[in-house]
Amino acid sequence: MDVGPRLLATATVLLAVLLAGCTERATPASTAAPVPPADTTGPASTAPRSPSAAADASASASASASASASVPVAASPSPRPVAGGAVTTGPAAAPSAVPATRLTMSVDTRGGRIVLVRGGPAQEFTLTLRNGNTRAYGHLLLTFQMEAFGPSPGDRPGPDPSVLLEHRDPATGRWSPAELRIANDFRPYHLHEGGSPLGRDAVRTERYRLRATATGPTGSSPLEVRLLDTDAPEGAGEARERPARLVLPHTTRRAS
């Protein structure tokens, strides 16, 4: 038997089988389409996403919205109008301090002056005291003084006072004599006593009337009204001892 030819035939068949197997394995790799490189400069891909990717994106957006909603946001200040019609949203301005006010005194009468006729009717005038917010007073006293005047030619001065002052009691409405000093000198403040209290921001009105006697002189002399703080210590100064003062013009003439 010739073994050589058979071994050669067998080897040839095996070689053919091996070549065929190598060709089958190499074909997919050699026929696969090449993958182009990613374009990093072009527009974003418009290819549709898979359902799972869309669901993941929706869940991520919902989580971001929830996180944003949970973060506290500072409230913006409400707008408020200011001078000139403008609107500002800044914080409200702090209230300004109340300005200090002090005691004042005013007078009201017919024509703004006292005009009397000798032996004629009296003329009324009203004094209004308005206290400020600075301090309260325990004793305030109204004083009245007039310098001597006349007599003019033809006057017949008598022994009685030439001008009489009266005060109206607010409780009873009755008129009673009030002190009127007729002199050219000055009476020191600390010699006065008495008076009525006046609290902070309080207002008080006093009514007086003045008349000329039949035998008194004629002429002019202003009526000086002083409001004294009789609780002020001696030497405290005029501003403390006399917190208010006014002068009311006055004239007395003969009857027609």
Side-chain angles (χ1 to χ4, degrees), residues 144-194:
F144 303 86
Q145 182 167 329
M146 184 183 295
E147 292 185 357
F149 61 97
S152 297
D155 291 344
R156 300 189 305 272
D160 298 330
S162 58
V163 181
L164 299 177
L165 179 67
E166 294 179 305
H167 173 253
R168 186 179 185 273
D169 188 335
T172 64
R174 295 179 179 177
W175 292 93
S176 57
E179 182 180 358
L180 171 62
R181 187 169 186 263
I182 299 179
N184 296 339
D185 61 354
F186 174 77
R187 185 179 182 184
Y189 297 137
H190 68 273
L191 297 179
H192 296 273
E193 297 179 350

Side-chain angles (χ1 to χ4, degrees), residues 78-236:
S78 301
R80 66 178 191 280
V82 295
V87 175
T88 178
T89 57
S96 57
V98 177
T101 55
R102 300 187 180 279
L103 175 65
T104 61
M105 178 172 59
S106 60
V107 63
D108 182 29
T109 189
R110 182 179 67 249
R113 59 184 299 116
I114 301 291
V115 180
L116 304 177
V117 176
R118 195 168 59 180
Q123 180 176 335
E124 292 188 28
F125 61 94
T126 300
L127 294 172
T128 302
L129 313 180
R130 299 179 183 275
N131 196 11
N133 57 18
T134 305
R135 56 163 298 185
Y137 292 90
H139 296 88
L140 287 176
L141 179 67
L142 282 166
T143 65
F144 303 86
Q145 182 167 329
M146 184 183 295
E147 292 185 357
F149 61 97
S152 297
D155 291 344
R156 300 189 305 272
D160 298 330
S162 58
V163 181
L164 299 177
L165 179 67
E166 294 179 305
H167 173 253
R168 186 179 185 273
D169 188 335
T172 64
R174 295 179 179 177
W175 292 93
S176 57
E179 182 180 358
L180 171 62
R181 187 169 186 263
I182 299 179
N184 296 339
D185 61 354
F186 174 77
R187 185 179 182 184
Y189 297 137
H190 68 273
L191 297 179
H192 296 273
E193 297 179 350
S196 303
L198 190 65
R200 287 184 175 88
D201 295 319
V203 179
R204 189 169 81 224
T205 301
E206 303 286 356
R207 292 177 60 183
Y208 291 86
R209 67 184 183 185
L210 201 66
R211 66 183 180 89
T213 60
T215 59
T218 59
S220 298
S221 181
L223 176 65
E224 184 174 10
V225 184
R226 293 187 178 97
L227 186 60
L228 307 183
D229 178 8
T230 58
D231 292 333
E234 183 177 356

Side-chain angles (χ1 to χ4, degrees), residues 56-66:
D56 292 343
S58 176
S60 176
S62 299
S64 299
S66 300

